[in-house]
Amino acid sequence: MSVETAPVARPGRSRPAWYVATVTEVRPETPTATRLLLDVPGWPGSDPGSHLDLRLTAPDGYQATRSYSIARSGPGHVVLAVDEVPDGEVSPFLVRDVRAGDVLEVLGPLGSFFHWRPGESPRPVQLVAGGSGVVPLYAMAVAHDAAADPTPFRLLYSVRTPEDVFFRAELDALVGETFRLDLVYTRRAPAGWSTPVRRVTRDALAAATVPATERPRVYVCGSTGFVETVVPWLEELGHAQQDILTERFGGVR
Ligand SMILES: Cc1cc2nc3c(=O)[nH]c(=O)nc-3n(C[C@H](O)[C@H](O)[C@H](O)COP(=O)(O)OP(=O)(O)OC[C@H]3O[C@@H](n4cnc5c(N)ncnc54)[C@H](O)[C@@H]3O)c2cc1C
């Protein structure tokens, strides 16, 4: 197997290439998800919202490749967060079996449209995440904060239970004048939670997102079912099709 080393280029605008990635740290993210910190020599960095393809090779040469959004990255390093899909081929291995020191291969950075760059547009940003779909949106929120960009950001994040929130401490720390977090719990909410425990509804979207009259750029990410449920409602609420960017992680809901 050959592994290319990419020439150093502008972060996020580099031509995708294969890199060897060494796992430096493995942390539990939620009861079903794991955060992986990767050391990736030559990795150029990536635009917030990008993803990569991760390839595993078994001792018998069998290979499996899946896409993962980049939670954070900079020259030479990448952070991923992987949720386990029960009976999946790759994610159970990444969530349960990968250890520091393991070597993987990654192809990237990938994705030329689903990203947000600081200073690119003054239009407000509405992020809508279902489950692990928060990963690329978290990357955008981090970039927004790091650049002290004044663009209003709002994240509507649907999760099963309080324990299932990815990047909980980091998201809480981002909340402030230009970043608002709205959580929707679909199975169990924290004690004293006042909004109903149920899947995102059209009314919840209307109540907890930037109104279409403010012309936000809207980024929606989650399972295919989540995205396909939410997008028609956003359109009904007046958001123009070209203002809604989507990333589908697969599966149904
Ligand atoms: C651009 C992109 C970025 C992604 N980023 C992330 C990420 O940051 N974190 C993350 O955890 N996953 C992410 N995914 C999903 C990931 O690529 C895999 O699909 C997922 O890890 C399941 O792989 P698997 O081999 O375990 O399951 P498979 O063996 O491929 O599938 C097993 C079964 O699960 C279903 N399934 C596959 N994916 C999902 C899903 N996401 N939800 C529900 N059911 C599913 C399949 O239809 C199949 O029936 C991303 C996908 C895309 C396309």
Side-chain angles (χ1 to χ4, degrees), residues 26-148:
V26 177
R27 285 191 219 164
E29 185 65 43
T30 73
T32 60
T34 294
R35 189 183 307 199
L36 299 174
L37 284 68
L38 309 178
D39 181 33
V40 192
W43 178 263
S46 55
D47 278 332
S50 311
H51 66 277
L52 51 70
D53 281 354
L54 186 154
R55 182 164 69 191
L56 301 175
T57 305
D60 65 0
Y62 175 76
Q63 294 189 319
T65 304
R66 296 291 184 278
S67 301
Y68 291 98
S69 296
I70 297 166
R72 292 184 98 127
S73 97
H77 68 92
V78 169
V79 179
L80 307 176
V82 180
D83 201 13
E84 180 172 351
V85 170
D87 302 325
E89 185 179 29
V90 169
S91 60
F93 174 78
L94 294 175
V95 171
R96 295 163 186 235
D97 300 328
V98 163
R99 298 284 175 265
D102 286 353
V103 175
L104 318 163
E105 289 171 288
V106 295
L107 170 69
L110 301 172
S112 52
F113 72 97
F114 194 80
H115 50 64
W116 178 88
R117 298 189 189 108
E120 202 173 54
S121 161
R123 285 170 60 193
V125 170
Q126 177 65 53
L127 310 171
V128 183
S132 57
V134 76
V135 178
L137 309 185
Y138 166 72
M140 295 178 194
V142 167
H144 171 253
D145 180 68

Side-chain angles (χ1 to χ4, degrees), residues 95-226:
V95 171
R96 295 163 186 235
D97 300 328
V98 163
R99 298 284 175 265
D102 286 353
V103 175
L104 318 163
E105 289 171 288
V106 295
L107 170 69
L110 301 172
S112 52
F113 72 97
F114 194 80
H115 50 64
W116 178 88
R117 298 189 189 108
E120 202 173 54
S121 161
R123 285 170 60 193
V125 170
Q126 177 65 53
L127 310 171
V128 183
S132 57
V134 76
V135 178
L137 309 185
Y138 166 72
M140 295 178 194
V142 167
H144 171 253
D145 180 68
D149 190 290
T151 311
F153 257 56
R154 193 166 178 180
L155 168 61
L156 177 64
Y157 183 12
S158 166
V159 280
R160 284 171 297 213
T161 74
E163 294 76 34
D164 291 308
V165 177
F166 282 56
F167 311 111
R168 175 83 230 204
E170 292 89 341
L171 285 172
D172 284 344
L174 290 174
V175 170
E177 213 174 301
T178 58
F179 179 75
R180 178 163 174 182
L181 171 64
D182 301 278
L183 285 159
V184 173
Y185 294 104
T186 63
R187 293 202 192 150
R188 178 172 46 79
W193 192 253
S194 58
T195 43
V197 173
R198 61 174 180 221
R199 286 180 172 177
V200 171
T201 58
R202 188 183 177 282
D203 288 348
L205 268 184
T209 54
V210 180
T213 48
E214 294 180 27
R215 298 270 337 273
R217 297 160 86 197
V218 187
Y219 297 82
V220 185
C221 186
S223 67
T224 301
F226 178 82

